[in-house]
Amino acid sequence: MTRYPRWKFFLLVAVLAVCGLYAMPNLYPDAPAIQITSAQAGGEVDERAMSRLRSALDDAGIVYSDAERVGTSWLLPLSDSEAQQRARELAQRTLGRDYVVAQNLAPTTPDWLRRINASPMNLGLDLRGGVHFLLQVDMDTAIEQRLESWVSEMRLLLRDENIRYRDVTHEGQTITARFDSSADLDAANSRVRDQFRGFNISRDNDNNALVLNLSNEEIAKIQDYAVDQNRTALNNRVNELGVAEPVVQRQGADRIVVQLPGVQDASQARRILGRTATLEFRLVADDVDPRRAASGIAPPGTEIYPFKRDDRNPVILRRQNIVTGDQVTNATMGFDENGQPEVNISLNSAGARNMQRVTSRNINKPMGVLFIETRTDIEHITNEDGEREQRATTTREAYVINVANIRDTLGSRFRITGLDSPAEAGELALLLRAGGLAAPIYIAEERSVGPSLGADNIKAGLNSMMLGLALVLVFMVLRYKVFGVIANIALVGNLVILVGVMSMIPGATLTLPGIAGIVLTVGMAVDANVLIFERIRQEMKWNNLPPLQAIEAGYGRAFQTILDANITTLIVAVILFAAGTGSVQGFAVTLFIGIVSSMFTAIVGTRAMVDLIYGGRQRAPTALSI
Amino acid sequence: MAIATPETNVNFMRVAKPLGILSIVLVLASIFLLATKGLNFGLDFTGGTVVEVGAPEDISLSVVREALSEGGYDAAVVQHFGSSRDVMVRIPPGESDEPDQAGLEVFELIGGVVPDLDLRRVEFVGPQVGDELRDQSGLAMLMAMGLMLLYVWFRFTNKFGVATVAALLHDVIVVLGLFALFQWSFDLTVLAAVLALIGYSLNDSIVVADHIRDDFRNSRMTDPTDIINQALNRTLSRTVITSLTTLLVLVALYLFGGEIMRGFSMALMAGVVVGTYSSIYVASNVLMLMNVHKEDFLVPQQEELDEMP
């Protein structure tokens, strides 16, 4: 038997030491904590607010550890989850609406481990509890909305250019503009081509019409814009919810994944995420007899909207908006002099300019605040082929929440009243702040796991791993004696490497199937050693090789087989990762890392140990404990 | 502890024929079951809603059923989940007007009749997502098998390739057949188990095939049956021991892994048993069927890849 090369020993020790070090943070369980973040995006948490909070907690007798800064927010670890619950309520009361207080977990990793960037494994939602939403962006509506605005743009363009047209309509992804004469068509043609570059434009000379077909690139652009804008809006809303470490990510062409770890009230999350509300400020058409509203037929240039409370008559508003919700930069809830809830609104410069221009010319005239809510419902239908299909229907609900006389020129800051309750005012402020959605969304998939089940899952995973490991360890010693002990040390080393690598990769997440992957690895990892040891036995008994040559032959000949056998499982792990979703991907990750590290420990690791035990002797051993 | 000593010489090939017929029968029966009963697809693939609730006291199923049917959920499937204090409710797609709201509604309905109810889990999968997951999963399974085929074809001679793939198909079909027979719920984690099984089954067959190949090249024996028999004997203890250690951890997972991992461990346990059997009998039977003989290995094109670890 040749001496085992020294560098392999060093490699082995180095890998084990590094992985062991990075696996260590997992030994320190996370502590329940509250996380305090400024309600203003990017805002800092005031030191005075923190000291106010500390004294409030001291007064209430809640025990806490040193607060720690994480990015722009503070984490305050507490003794247990009951204290966490109480501290959260107390903190929200003490700090008020300027701060968002969320429940979170604080790592208790010691400083010397943090200094080398070691942190525990990320836990999936099925282990820590939380909500996972897959939201579908309704693209048909997004395109429809965009086309509608193009139709009005086209009408505006034609009017500005003094080109007479019969009508401009849209259907599907096509806009058709019809003209009375071919001369008008000619005039329109060049102007429209200049302005509507996202369309494939063709002339229909028979009908004196211009046909604009939305190009595929433009459709892709609309989709990208709708999804990205929705993602941003959802991100803002999620931040408002006060969730620690939320995930808002685009998935595929038209979906958005939202993950809210630790959220217990899924219904609140769902309400905030799914709603699309916006405000429009419009002048009341005061030159029209208000009684005409009852007839339901709006004069040209106006629209009739119901008033929010049934006891008042519908209102006739002008079509043009003064300001829309997307020009709102900030909205906060407050109370007026009479203790009635109100929403204080700040506008951006474009909105403020418009507001100023219109209100200065219309002093003492009434202005209405129109509230528009879009809700998307899913309907299940069976199509003519007998296949199930889901179709999203969007309902738009609009009503006037407030009509008031313009007493003065309004600028960038003003307020709206007429809200029923502080809760309603709060929600409206939140929705205005968080921004509207560019297109309706609906929930395509939801998975929420309560915190109790998450904790149970961790326990179940750990227990099955312990039992599985114990059974395998005992079995190996019974079967292979000293060599079994060697294989067992390698197996434990394999687990250390697996946990260390999982903790080092920032994107790797441990899920319940992921734990199953680790458990399975424990059972399958010894296979390499079984192969080697069985070979050694055979070489000794069948071919009468002396022990050291048998060891040599056993390791040498088994290597190719082990590689062959493990590559198949590696291929499967890669496929699972590519095709699977969340928790199944967790399984693929642990399986993959486990197989690779098991090949390393079972071949390099056990060989080194065998060499230490049998290789260094003066006289070659005559028998092996195998 | 002796599982198979080197002296063990089981004449495996003596019962090769009857077992070959048994395998064919098993596969045909599985295909028949899959075609008639089909798989009991879980929520991931069908869409719908699953709600899991728990309470400190035992929950009576009939009380829950009554509350749900009063709330308009007549088609809800209600069963205990893990213990009598946990209840799982499954609502088929299309049962509710607003399917994404059904989970919370169900929780509130049950909460009305069971005190201190804890919402443990809600899963809602829209039909579109369910269909996609099913397509994607089927594709993943085909892709896994295809890649295995490529790999085996690349590594072994044609006859061995066919033999190992036959063993692989055998294992997957029989395990799926078992799920169809008992109507165990087939969800994403079970699919992951079946894919892992594809890797495991092939792993087993490859080790045996490797040995058979070696023996064809090196053994003085000439009769293919004898050569295969000797190789099977030599790999027997490894095959059995690896299956045993894998089964040990799967039993641990079955017992302690919780209700969610039960289907997963079930599929793999069945797979390991079937896979062990098939790597002994199915692969060798197919080899015999194809008239494998020494000449197949006379030109050892493969250089010795045995590297020192």
Side-chain angles (χ1 to χ4, degrees):
Chain A
M1 186 161 120
T2 48
R3 272 308 277 174
Y4 201 58
R6 191 153 285 172
W7 67 268
K8 284 195 183 171
F9 274 112
F10 286 124
L11 177 70
L12 190 68
V13 173
V15 168
L16 271 175
V18 170
C19 289
L21 203 59
Y22 279 88
M24 279 187 74
N26 296 294
L27 296 176
Y28 301 90
D30 288 342
I34 54 171
Q35 181 171 353
I36 299 117
T37 318
S38 168
Q40 220 98 57
E44 295 283 323
V45 179
D46 200 342
E47 187 49 51
R48 272 179 317 205
M50 287 304 291
S51 57
R52 220 166 55 225
L53 173 61
R54 282 196 194 93
S55 55
L57 288 171
D58 288 335
D59 290 346
I62 298 173
V63 184
Y64 58 90
S65 319
D66 286 342
E68 182 198 346
R69 216 192 170 92
V70 183
T72 55
S73 57
W74 285 86
L75 262 183
L76 192 72
L78 295 145
S79 51
D80 54 62
S81 49
E82 199 212 317
Q84 180 190 33
Q85 191 70 39
R86 283 172 57 210
R88 185 198 165 159
E89 285 157 16
L90 183 64
Q92 193 68 73
R93 265 206 312 279
T94 313
L95 299 175
R97 294 197 57 86
D98 294 341
Y99 295 96
V100 177
V101 182
Q103 278 171 300
N104 197 359
L105 292 171
T108 53
T109 315
D111 283 338
W112 61 276
L113 278 174
R114 282 189 208 200
R115 235 168 274 138
I116 56 164
N117 277 329
S119 58
M121 283 184 274
N122 301 322
L123 296 186
L125 290 181
D126 55 349
L127 296 181
R128 68 191 292 194
V131 196
H132 162 106
F133 289 112
L134 183 64
L135 300 163
Q136 175 91 42
V137 181
D138 184 0
M139 281 304 165
D140 292 343
T141 310
I143 290 170
E144 172 86 16
Q145 283 173 350
R146 197 71 194 91
L147 276 179
E148 263 168 27
S149 79
W150 263 316
V151 166
S152 16
E153 250 175 69
M154 169 111 69
R155 288 195 186 119
L156 214 64
L157 172 76
L158 296 174
R159 225 173 289 153
D160 285 352
E161 299 286 330
N162 282 322
I163 301 169
R164 289 168 53 91
Y165 61 93
R166 194 181 293 166
D167 58 10
V168 181
T169 55
H170 72 94
E171 202 193 326
Q173 296 172 355
T174 308
I175 297 177
T176 312
R178 292 195 296 158
F179 301 90
D180 288 327
S181 71
S182 61
D184 288 336
L185 175 59
D186 286 338
N189 191 11
S190 62
R191 301 295 302 128
V192 168
R193 269 176 208 276
D194 275 355
Q195 290 251 335
F196 289 76
R197 293 184 183 277
F199 289 84
N200 298 319
I201 300 170
S202 57
R203 287 179 66 136
D204 179 357
N205 286 325
D206 297 339
N207 299 312
N208 280 335
L210 212 50
V211 181
L212 291 82
N213 270 309
L214 209 50
S215 68
N216 286 335
E217 297 90 67
E218 195 63 27
I219 291 175
K221 248 200 255 172
I222 296 173
Q223 291 192 340
D224 277 350
Y225 172 78
V227 175
D228 279 341
Q229 199 276 342
N230 273 3
R231 193 180 52 78
T232 314
L234 287 174
N235 213 357
N236 293 338
R237 291 184 186 187
V238 165
N239 288 338
E240 296 274 349
L241 279 172
V243 179
E245 297 164 55
V247 174
V248 180
Q249 246 167 23
R250 180 173 181 170
Q251 188 178 78
D254 53 3
R255 287 186 180 153
I256 297 167
V257 175
V258 177
Q259 288 185 346
L260 311 173
V263 164
Q264 290 167 32
D265 186 0
S267 57
Q268 192 211 355
R270 159 208 293 282
R271 208 174 56 240
I272 300 292
L273 290 183
R275 269 181 76 184
T276 333
T278 189
L279 287 183
E280 284 180 10
F281 297 86
R282 297 187 185 188
L283 286 176
V284 175
D286 56 346
D287 51 337
V288 180
D289 183 357
R291 274 170 298 183
R292 282 189 66 174
S295 69
I297 302 159
T302 67
E303 282 170 326
I304 303 173
Y305 286 104
F307 203 82
K308 185 174 143 212
R309 279 187 293 268
D310 291 333
D311 54 342
R312 287 177 58 178
N313 291 328
V315 184
I316 306 175
L317 297 179
R318 299 206 178 282
R319 263 180 187 276
Q320 282 100 340
N321 317 311
I322 309 167
V323 167
T324 56
D326 53 347
Q327 290 165 323
V328 171
T329 55
N330 197 12
T332 51
M333 192 204 89
F335 294 95
D336 66 8
E337 310 77 49
N338 305 320
Q340 290 302 305
E342 60 174 18
V343 176
N344 296 299
I345 291 176
S346 307
L347 297 178
N348 66 9
S349 57
R353 243 194 337 269
N354 237 349
M355 186 58 109
Q356 202 172 5
R357 190 171 52 83
V358 176
T359 49
S360 64
R361 286 188 217 150
N362 291 288
I363 290 187
N364 285 327
K365 287 187 179 167
M367 181 172 76
V369 181
L370 187 63
F371 177 86
I372 303 165
E373 186 179 348
T374 322
R375 211 181 56 234
T376 306
D377 295 313
I378 320 170
E379 218 183 344
H380 295 276
I381 48 162
T382 309
N383 66 12
E384 52 269 27
D385 301 331
E387 284 172 356
R388 273 184 302 121
E389 223 176 56
Q390 71 184 11
R391 185 171 291 169
T393 50
T394 307
T395 32
R396 187 169 172 271
E397 206 179 313
Y399 46 83
V400 177
I401 52 175
N402 175 315
V403 173
N405 276 341
I406 301 167
R407 266 171 268 163
D408 205 351
T409 304
L410 296 176
S412 65
R413 299 171 75 84
F414 60 97
R415 63 185 187 179
I416 57 168
T417 51
L419 300 149
D420 279 340
S421 65
E424 191 191 343
E427 204 154 286
L428 178 60
L430 190 158
L431 286 171
L432 281 173
R433 242 189 345 255
L437 297 169
I441 51 174
Y442 56 93
I443 296 173
E445 186 186 349
E446 175 191 339
R447 290 173 199 266
S448 61
V449 172
S452 64
L453 183 61
D456 285 357
N457 281 344
I458 293 183
K459 219 184 305 158
L462 272 181
N463 285 345
S464 48
M465 190 159 78
M466 290 304 180
L467 179 67
L469 185 65
L471 288 174
V472 172
L473 291 182
V474 169
F475 179 86
M476 289 301 282
V477 172
L478 286 180
R479 169 79 182 156
Y480 296 112
K481 300 172 191 88
V482 172
F483 277 76
V485 174
I486 292 173
N488 284 346
I489 295 172
L491 184 57
V492 174
N494 177 33
L495 279 179
V496 171
I497 294 179
L498 177 49
V499 173
V501 171
M502 284 291 290
S503 310
M504 274 188 262
I505 304 176
T509 302
L510 188 70
T511 60
L512 185 58
I515 297 180
I518 299 179
V519 177
L520 194 61
T521 310
V522 168
M524 286 168 46
V526 291
D527 175 50
N529 284 127
V530 170
L531 263 167
I532 295 169
F533 297 167
E534 290 297 324
R535 279 271 183 179
I536 295 176
R537 282 182 159 197
Q538 284 174 10
E539 297 295 345
M540 281 170 32
K541 290 198 174 155
W542 293 45
N543 301 338
N544 286 321
L545 284 184
L548 292 188
Q549 271 102 313
I551 291 175
E552 190 93 351
Y555 275 95
R557 297 183 62 186
F559 181 69
Q560 182 64 37
T561 313
I562 293 170
L563 198 64
D564 259 342
N566 282 317
I567 280 177
T568 58
T569 310
L570 288 182
I571 295 176
V572 163
V574 170
I575 293 172
L576 265 176
F577 188 81
T581 54
S583 61
V584 170
Q585 280 184 330
F587 172 68
V589 169
T590 53
L591 192 65
F592 189 93
I593 300 174
I595 295 289
V596 172
S597 71
S598 82
M599 280 203 277
F600 178 71
T601 53
I603 300 174
V604 181
T606 61
R607 181 72 205 263
M609 282 185 276
V610 169
D611 195 56
L612 276 180
I613 295 173
Y614 293 102
R617 299 186 182 176
Q618 290 283 303
R619 285 196 309 162
T622 51
L624 298 178
S625 172
I626 189 167
Chain B
M1 194 170 179
I3 281 160
T5 61
E7 293 77 33
T8 315
N9 196 356
V10 183
N11 192 351
F12 286 108
M13 300 316 282
R14 197 166 49 91
V15 282
K17 277 225 175 78
L19 284 178
I21 293 166
L22 174 72
S23 282
I24 293 171
V25 170
L26 274 178
V27 168
L28 289 180
S30 296
I31 292 175
F32 175 76
L33 280 170
L34 284 169
T36 52
K37 283 184 113 167
L39 286 170
N40 174 17
F41 283 112
L43 165 88
D44 294 325
F45 301 119
T46 58
T49 308
V50 162
V51 183
E52 193 190 325
V53 292
E57 304 284 319
D58 287 1
I59 302 176
S60 147
L61 290 183
S62 53
V63 169
V64 172
R65 285 202 187 100
E66 202 176 312
L68 287 179
S69 83
E70 267 169 32
Y73 291 97
D74 289 315
V77 178
V78 181
Q79 63 196 76
H80 282 305
F81 196 67
S83 78
S84 54
R85 293 187 301 272
D86 291 295
V87 166
M88 189 180 84
V89 180
R90 204 173 143 171
I91 302 141
E95 168 77 0
S96 157
D97 299 334
E98 288 182 60
D100 58 331
Q101 301 284 350
L104 285 164
E105 254 180 65
V106 164
F107 174 63
E108 276 156 19
L109 284 172
I110 303 176
V113 289
V114 177
D116 297 327
L117 196 67
D118 176 28
L119 181 59
R120 290 169 69 79
R121 178 166 64 107
V122 176
E123 297 195 22
F124 159 73
V125 175
Q128 203 182 334
V129 173
D131 288 351
E132 275 171 28
L133 282 176
R134 190 160 46 191
D135 292 350
Q136 223 177 338
S137 306
L139 204 68
M141 207 136 92
L142 289 180
M143 210 161 78
M145 297 228 209
L147 279 176
M148 294 298 138
L149 193 76
L150 265 179
Y151 181 71
V152 170
W153 180 63
F154 169 76
R155 281 289 291 129
F156 294 94
T157 59
N158 285 343
K159 286 181 183 172
F160 272 108
V162 174
T164 46
V165 171
L168 173 68
L169 285 175
H170 170 270
D171 298 349
V172 171
I173 291 173
V174 170
V175 169
L176 290 181
L178 213 58
F179 269 76
L181 175 65
F182 293 108
Q183 290 290 299
W184 291 329
S185 171
F186 190 91
D187 55 23
L188 272 180
T189 48
V190 176
L191 178 87
V194 172
L195 282 177
L197 168 67
I198 291 178
Y200 182 88
S201 154
L202 207 62
N203 166 330
D204 238 14
S205 305
I206 282 178
V207 173
V208 176
D210 242 13
H211 226 112
I212 294 180
R213 185 175 58 182
D214 269 10
D215 284 1
F216 264 106
R217 282 197 195 131
N218 305 326
S219 172
R220 280 180 296 266
M221 288 186 271
T222 47
D223 182 17
T225 317
D226 289 344
I227 297 177
I228 292 177
N229 213 18
Q230 179 188 317
L232 287 179
N233 271 295
R234 289 187 171 186
T235 48
L236 178 66
S237 52
R238 177 267 161 188
T239 310
V240 172
I241 289 170
T242 299
S243 305
L244 262 179
T245 57
T246 310
L247 275 178
L248 285 179
V249 296
L250 287 172
V251 167
L253 201 59
Y254 180 83
L255 292 178
F256 289 121
E259 201 65 33
I260 297 175
M261 294 320 296
R262 209 140 281 179
F264 176 92
S265 37
M266 225 56 131
L268 269 173
M269 276 194 281
V272 168
V273 172
V274 179
T276 307
Y277 155 81
S278 79
S279 65
I280 298 175
Y281 278 106
V282 175
S284 53
N285 249 323
V286 175
L287 278 177
M288 294 302 292
L289 264 182
M290 286 186 300
N291 260 330
V292 71
H293 48 76
K294 258 194 132 131
E295 282 72 46
D296 286 336
F297 306 94
L298 273 185
V299 207
Q301 284 168 323
Q302 216 121 23
E303 72 268 43
E304 275 302 308
L305 278 167
D306 287 359
E307 230 174 84
M308 287 306 291

